Amino acid sequence: MDNNDKLTGLYVFDEFLKVASERLDNAESDKLYVLISIDFSKFKYINRVYSYSAGDKLIKDLADTIVNEEGCVIACRPYSDHIISLFSFEKDAWVVEKERLKQLQDNFCNSHKQEYSKTSVHLNTGVCVIEDNSEPITSIIDKANIARRSVKGNYSVPYAMYTQKLQTIKEAESRLIPIFEKALENEEILVYMQPKISVKKGGIKGAEALTRLIDEDGSIVPPDIFIPVLENSGKVLDLDWYVMKYVFKKIDEWLKEGRTVVPISVNLSKLHFYHDSLVEDIMREFEKYNFPPDYVEFEVTESVFFEEADLIIDKIEKLRQNGFKISVDDFGAGYSSLNLIGILPVDIIKLDKGFIKNSLNNRKGKDIIKGLIRILNEIEMDIVCEGIETKAEEKIVYEFGCDSMQGFLYDKPIPIDNFENKYILMKAI
Ligand code: C2E
Ligand code: MG
Ligand code: MG
């Protein structure tokens, strides 16, 4: 039997399984083994636009890049544009190697940019760090594939690591969808609110609507489990419409009751932007009411601006022309670029909680946050710092020039009744 793939010269799948298993059985104790699963985004499109032989060349180039990468033990091409490879590293070098992995993706894509200029060459990369060398190789491959699929088409992260959470999301997929559909039909999806605070004024200046789903056993499923499931199935659109209608109705109710209302933000999944009628659909709903649009803010995740810039800018502009506020959510979580800030037609930048946490614990990171806040202030962009948990964190970012905060220091997302009682009677700022 031929042990090598004709196009790439890599092992065929069966041979890979055999050799990789043997290698793991005889693993050296000071080595860490990592399995990497890669394919291209929109490979069909590349084949169609450039011809199959151009597609083949790209696969061959990727295969060559991978086998020449330091640490690569073996690789194979199970099918089409999909390549899996086993790497081994010194155990304590993994932190550095992770960085190299990011560069592999960037270098490969950049070096093919010109040749394939009609499409963006992009790789979906899933990584499974092998914790137990006796785990069957097929199970390790499954894990790396789960990680790869979790970032399919996501241009804002260089790769995904397999985690237990990804497994939970995958397992939850078939179970959660019927639970969601039933909850939607019975209007039982919970909408929680988390306040945004002005430090200077010492009070609330807005709030974010965040959803919760109730599981069959009565426990609450957090959004980081059910949102990815709903995004994969497209059902997140139904969720967002539900939340938006709910928020419009609440604002209207509160105003009619004579309460002091603050702007409420609703998260909009990127999937909405594939619908040409998005703005008209929102307006149709909004026009049922009679309150000013600046009570409503839409949060759109940073990554969406990278992936689908053309698709979204126009819709965002229209939403703003209609008077709604737009914020970029989770800024700094992925590949943020200062360039982007200049061209984004948005009102507010929400600095990502992870980005802030990681940055505030070292000198360089602090300087970056400080510089970023300064630039945003200079171009008169509003800033909200997410994930503020301690007074110390508040103090640092406040001194850097950010006044608006959201985080557990003030309140977690809380049920709507609590929120009304606690905040919505307060005088707005
Ligand atoms: P997000 O829009 O960035 O919302 C902020 C998340 O940060 C919330 O998580 C909130 O509970 C959490 N958070 C706020 N302050 C702190 C803090 O001080 N420390 C920590 N550790 N976390 C804090 P949550 O509610 O679990 O929501 C997660 C994500 O799910 C949201 O991130 C948003 O992207 C998505 N999501 C939630 N509801 C909806 C929805 O109705 N539609 C859509 N499309 N996405 C939603
Ligand atoms: Mg948000
Ligand atoms: Mg956020």
Side-chain angles (χ1 to χ4, degrees):
M1 194 185 81
D2 196 349
N3 287 340
N4 293 89
D5 168 41
K6 285 207 176 52
L7 172 65
T8 58
L10 300 179
Y11 276 121
V12 293
F13 190 54
D14 284 347
E15 194 61 19
F16 176 89
L17 295 181
K18 214 170 94 199
V19 177
S21 296
E22 279 166 14
R23 192 60 192 253
L24 289 171
D25 284 345
N26 300 305
E28 298 153 61
S29 61
D30 57 340
K31 288 272 165 55
L32 178 76
Y33 288 81
V34 174
L35 196 119
I36 300 181
S37 165
I38 305 186
D39 69 0
F40 289 89
S41 295
K42 302 180 182 154
F43 193 70
K44 277 196 200 112
Y45 182 75
I46 294 174
N47 270 336
R48 208 169 61 225
V49 173
Y50 289 97
S51 80
Y52 280 89
S53 58
D56 280 355
K57 181 179 168 292
L58 206 53
I59 295 172
K60 172 85 172 78
D61 283 357
L62 178 63
D64 290 348
T65 306
I66 290 173
V67 290
N68 287 324
E69 196 63 23
E70 215 180 300
C72 180
V73 179
I74 54 165
C76 78
R77 182 173 72 115
Y79 57 84
S80 179
D81 62 324
H82 179 203
I83 292 179
I84 54 181
S85 48
L86 180 71
F87 276 73
S88 87
F89 303 112
E90 297 299 321
K91 270 192 174 140
D92 45 8
W94 176 229
V95 183
V96 183
E97 300 300 342
K98 265 204 287 200
E99 282 307 307
R100 215 155 48 80
L101 198 60
K102 268 189 209 164
Q103 278 159 21
L104 181 144
Q105 162 113 351
D106 286 353
N107 293 346
F108 184 82
C109 296
N110 286 335
S111 65
H112 288 81
K113 233 182 199 159
Q114 272 196 326
E115 202 179 335
Y116 297 84
S117 59
K118 282 185 240 165
T119 172
S120 49
V121 173
H122 175 257
L123 302 169
N124 308 303
T125 306
V127 179
C128 175
V129 174
I130 303 170
E131 280 161 8
D132 171 6
N133 290 338
S134 66
E135 183 175 352
I137 184 74
T138 44
S139 148
I140 298 167
I141 295 172
D142 283 348
K143 289 178 173 175
N145 284 337
I146 289 174
R148 174 175 53 82
R149 286 191 209 104
S150 76
V151 284
K152 217 162 172 55
N154 182 346
Y155 288 50
S156 65
V157 291
Y159 59 81
M161 299 280 271
Y162 170 80
T163 56
Q164 186 54 44
K165 194 164 138 198
L166 282 182
Q167 185 71 32
T168 311
I169 292 171
K170 188 164 181 285
E171 284 165 7
E173 209 135 55
S174 48
R175 210 174 62 74
L176 285 184
I177 288 182
I179 295 178
F180 167 73
E181 285 178 332
K182 194 159 156 244
L184 189 70
E185 198 182 309
N186 299 338
E187 303 193 357
E188 284 167 356
I189 290 165
L190 301 178
V191 181
Y192 279 23
M193 295 279 167
Q194 186 179 31
K196 296 174 194 169
I197 297 296
S198 157
V199 177
K200 199 162 30 185
K201 310 244 168 101
I204 187 170
K205 65 175 297 185
E208 174 172 8
L210 293 155
T211 38
R212 303 288 183 264
L213 192 62
I214 305 171
D215 210 336
E216 277 161 332
D217 62 1
S219 64
I220 284 184
V221 190
D224 53 354
I225 301 295
F226 75 81
I227 297 281
V229 171
L230 296 184
E231 281 193 324
N232 288 342
S233 64
K235 294 198 180 296
V236 72
L237 295 170
D238 298 335
L239 173 74
D240 289 352
W241 280 109
Y242 176 89
V243 179
M244 192 181 67
K245 288 177 185 176
Y246 183 92
V247 165
F248 286 177
K249 203 161 147 234
K250 271 287 160 203
I251 294 174
D252 186 60
E253 235 172 72
W254 288 334
L255 287 167
K256 285 185 175 146
E257 287 167 12
R259 299 177 186 242
T260 312
V261 181
V262 290
I264 307 290
S265 64
V266 173
N267 290 284
L268 271 191
S269 157
K270 73 167 176 192
L271 298 187
H272 292 282
F273 293 93
Y274 292 106
H275 292 263
D276 287 340
S277 61
L278 173 68
V279 181
E280 289 73 24
D281 294 345
I282 291 179
M283 288 314 291
R284 194 170 321 114
E285 195 54 39
F286 180 69
E287 279 159 2
K288 292 182 183 163
Y289 302 96
N290 217 346
F291 59 81
D294 53 3
Y295 279 121
V296 180
E297 179 182 319
F298 291 109
E299 298 194 7
V300 183
T301 317
E302 171 201 72
S303 59
V304 184
F305 289 90
F306 286 94
E307 292 161 30
E308 311 289 353
D310 301 345
L311 211 63
I312 85 156
I313 299 281
D314 171 54
K315 297 188 181 73
I316 295 274
E317 272 171 349
K318 283 197 190 127
L319 286 171
R320 286 181 79 207
Q321 280 158 15
N322 281 303
F324 300 114
K325 293 259 182 293
I326 307 288
S327 52
V328 179
D329 202 358
D330 303 337
F331 189 89
Y335 277 134
S336 305
S337 104
L338 285 180
N339 262 347
L340 191 72
I341 299 176
I343 54 162
L344 287 178
V346 300
D347 308 278
I348 302 149
I349 300 276
K350 296 187 75 182
L351 300 183
D352 178 63
K353 55 179 178 293
F355 174 50
I356 295 190
K357 283 248 149 23
N358 292 336
S359 306
L360 291 190
N361 64 22
N362 65 82
R363 177 69 206 279
K364 222 173 172 179
K366 270 192 200 164
D367 285 345
I368 291 174
I369 296 280
K370 186 177 178 181
L372 186 59
I373 292 177
R374 186 176 54 75
I375 293 170
L376 291 171
N377 279 327
E378 268 168 24
I379 58 169
E380 294 177 345
M381 190 84 89
D382 283 346
I383 316 161
V384 177
C385 279
E386 290 186 325
I388 298 296
E389 292 183 343
T390 64
K391 270 277 166 204
E393 287 166 356
E394 175 193 271
K395 184 168 183 286
I396 299 175
V397 286
Y398 182 69
E399 282 172 5
F400 289 166
C402 174
D403 175 55
S404 304
M405 315 279 172
Q406 182 179 348
F408 293 174
L409 175 62
Y410 315 100
D411 235 327
K412 290 192 169 171
I414 50 175
I416 194 82
D417 292 350
N418 296 5
F419 177 75
E420 275 173 358
N421 294 336
K422 196 166 169 187
Y423 292 103
I424 221 68
L425 294 176
M426 283 171 65
K427 190 150 178 45
I429 294 149

